Amino acid sequence: MKNCDIAIIGAGPAGLTAAMYAARANKKVVLFEGLTAGGKLAVTPSIENYPGASSTDGFELAESMRKQTVAVGAEIVCEGAEKIDFAARKVYTYSEAYEYKALIIATGARSGKLGLGNENELVGSGVSYCAVCDGAFFRGKDVMLVGGGERSRVDLKYLAGLCRKVYFTTQGIAERESYENVEYIDKAAVTKLSGNPLSEVTVEQAGEERTLAVSGIFIDTALTGESRLYAGELETDKNGFIVTDDEMRTSVPLVYAAGDVRAKTLRQVVTAAGDGAIAAATAIKEIKAAKKV
């Protein structure tokens, strides 16, 4: 059994920022890294909207965050958390148990996928799961948006203002907006992605296939919280995202959530980092208060 002041699950921008802030406050911090530091950021080919870094590689930015976090004294454990015992305040990996005073969950979100064979290899080469993140790379080009719901309505407005043409493909019937450069393709499914980088998308509608020349496809199918570790223990919304207050408190005392795993409206590197800083500051304050009780 090992002990720490603050355990942080998830080594994306939210988790790394929280670890840095907590370690700088002289707290003993253990950060659990499932695969690689940086999370989805580490596999993002290009970042152009992070303040102070007008154009940078996602892995480079993630590695810079990791080095900064380690330099101030946070411990990064290269194992994912397998179980949380909220009552006993313990995190378990395959090889060890860690007792904590406060816990920050920063496990991120899971993007829904089309399920096509070459989808993963085209991420960063025409396939994107975030219009706000990557839309600017397709300014003046033809693209496709796949999805439905409120998130897609917001993304459609954003892409329509940037791109030459947007094909909006839904499995249902989309509510029409007055965009001159948007073509709606209702009750349809994407069946094929062609080219590397992406150059064509094939959709099936009413039993017929249609191939469209596009430079990018934005996939807005259901985004859900990475809820395996906290399902049934913390208050969540219908999509598995953790409900918090403005100071990142969850429904369980001394447990906080930060980054894309939270129920929120904007999921970006900069908002994740902000969440992480707030979560750490709240945890530090409330650990100190708990000692006085």
Side-chain angles (χ1 to χ4, degrees), residues 90-282:
K90 294 177 183 178
V91 173
Y92 294 87
T93 68
Y94 276 121
S95 63
E96 188 61 85
Y98 296 79
E99 188 172 16
Y100 60 80
K101 297 176 183 176
L103 173 67
I104 298 174
I105 299 175
T107 49
R110 182 189 301 112
S111 298
K113 295 191 175 185
L114 298 174
L116 300 177
N118 59 340
E119 184 176 349
N120 288 340
E121 68 186 64
L122 287 173
V123 173
S125 295
V127 170
S128 172
Y129 301 96
C130 180
V132 176
C133 307
D134 300 328
F137 297 118
F138 298 88
R139 189 183 302 273
K141 298 181 179 180
D142 295 350
V143 302
M144 179 175 287
L145 175 66
V146 182
E150 185 60 31
R151 180 186 172 206
S152 291
R153 291 183 63 188
V154 173
D155 286 351
L156 181 61
K157 181 178 181 179
Y158 180 74
L159 292 172
L162 285 174
C163 302
R164 183 172 60 186
K165 184 163 187 174
V166 181
Y167 297 98
F168 185 24
T169 303
T170 65
Q171 291 185 336
I173 299 177
E175 180 180 343
R176 267 43 176 177
E177 304 281 354
S178 56
Y179 303 117
E180 294 182 357
N181 61 337
V182 173
E183 179 178 335
Y184 294 88
I185 307 175
D186 295 326
K187 296 184 178 181
V190 176
T191 58
K192 185 178 180 181
L193 304 174
S194 303
N196 192 347
L198 181 71
S199 58
E200 292 181 338
V201 172
T202 301
V203 297
E204 182 179 330
Q205 184 183 40
E208 296 184 1
E209 287 195 332
R210 180 183 176 191
T211 298
L212 303 165
V214 296
S215 298
I217 182 169
F218 296 87
I219 301 167
D220 267 1
T221 52
L223 191 69
T224 58
E226 290 283 8
S227 61
R228 176 180 61 86
L229 292 170
Y230 57 80
E233 299 286 348
L234 303 178
E235 181 185 356
T236 64
D237 68 8
K238 63 181 181 180
N239 294 316
F241 294 108
I242 300 173
V243 175
T244 72
D245 64 12
D246 290 344
E247 293 192 276
M248 308 301 141
R249 299 182 187 91
T250 71
S251 55
V252 173
L254 292 168
V255 177
Y256 313 88
D260 288 2
V261 75
R262 285 182 62 225
K264 57 194 290 188
T265 58
L266 184 64
R267 292 180 169 85
Q268 296 281 281
V269 177
V270 68
T271 59
D275 287 356
I278 294 170
T282 307

